Amino acid sequence: MGTSVSDLNVKRLILVPALITLAVTIARLVGEIAGGPSRLFNSAAGGGGALVGIVWLIPIFGIYFGGKLVRGDLAPQSVGKVIGFAVLGLVVAGVTFASVPALTTALLGSGPSLGKMIVRPLGRTLGYLLAVVILYRAWPAFFKVMLGYAFAARIPVLIVMFTAMLGNWGTHYELGPPGTPEMGFLPTFIVIALIPQMTFWIMVTMVFGTLFGGLAAAVVRRVNRMEP
């Protein structure tokens, strides 16, 4: 009898990857506070593609989870569908990211306003949610594991951002994108930390993780067929 999705032990599967991700997050924070080289620990807003960062772990653990599930008798029905849905999710996210600012500007004007600060994150959140939900039908088992990992990776970042903002540590964790208006602590935390970490970065983790997980599933399936 094959393994079912309900038999999945998500916590067990994501434990080691989550701990590795936490270690990288802490290393990044310590490196920035210590003034490490910007190539490794960039403290500018957004992080500037520093080499020490958890975003680079997404494809690695996508491949890891994909391989583990296929070997554990939880392969997707169609690898092509998994990869295709991941690409579709990426397209939906990209259209959302690009179109929502233009639409809010057209509706609410070009200047900063409270309405734009509310409508723009809401519109993007709905688009990112759609991009993530799309992935479920392609490979439910992988969806459950990758979603668990996404939150395990991003909740510690949220805690680090909260603490860094309180302490004024001079890291990228406390800086919003250029043009972020001056606000109190709580609104700033919501706008530059809570919303992006729990929407955009969850979506990025899910979409790219699923893409690489699908590729890993294709490779493992081919290897299995070649084995005597």
Side-chain angles (χ1 to χ4, degrees):
M1 182 181 294
T3 307
S4 69
V5 176
S6 61
D7 295 329
L8 263 180
N9 189 331
V10 174
K11 290 181 180 178
R12 180 175 59 82
L13 275 171
I14 70 171
L15 177 60
V16 172
L19 290 174
I20 293 171
T21 305
L22 177 61
V24 173
T25 297
I26 293 172
R28 174 68 182 270
L29 176 64
V30 171
E32 289 191 34
I33 292 174
S38 60
R39 183 181 298 179
L40 298 177
F41 313 101
N42 193 340
S43 59
L51 295 179
V52 178
I54 65 173
V55 70
W56 312 118
L57 299 176
I58 296 171
I60 294 172
F61 290 133
I63 291 169
Y64 172 77
F65 294 139
K68 290 282 284 187
L69 290 175
V70 172
R71 293 190 181 96
D73 203 17
L74 281 166
Q77 291 183 348
S78 168
V79 170
K81 187 176 180 181
V82 173
I83 296 171
F85 274 48
V87 172
L88 178 60
L90 183 60
V91 170
V92 169
V95 170
T96 298
F97 185 83
S99 64
V100 167
L103 288 173
T104 53
T105 297
L107 291 171
L108 301 173
S110 58
S113 69
L114 180 60
K116 287 175 70 174
M117 288 180 60
I118 296 172
V119 172
R120 185 172 292 179
L122 179 61
R124 280 182 164 169
T125 296
L126 293 175
Y128 298 153
L129 179 61
L130 176 59
V132 170
V133 169
I134 285 170
L135 305 174
Y136 177 80
R137 293 185 63 83
W139 195 358
F142 187 90
F143 182 93
K144 289 179 67 175
V145 174
M146 202 70 205
L147 187 63
Y149 170 74
F151 279 105
R154 288 294 157 182
I155 288 174
V157 175
L158 201 58
I159 295 170
V160 166
M161 293 182 77
F162 184 87
T163 309
M165 289 170 66
L166 278 178
N168 251 343
W169 291 346
T171 69
H172 88 281
Y173 291 106
E174 59 223 70
L175 300 177
T180 302
E182 290 288 333
M183 298 176 286
F185 173 81
L186 186 57
T188 301
F189 174 75
I190 292 172
V191 169
I192 74 170
L194 182 63
I195 293 175
Q197 292 298 323
M198 294 294 101
T199 60
F200 176 78
W201 285 111
I202 296 293
M203 178 276 298
V204 167
T205 304
M206 292 298 295
V207 169
F208 284 98
T210 301
L211 178 61
F212 282 91
L215 294 172
V219 171
V220 173
R221 269 188 167 179
R222 176 162 294 189
V223 171
N224 289 343
R225 286 176 187 150
M226 293 172 62
E227 290 177 350

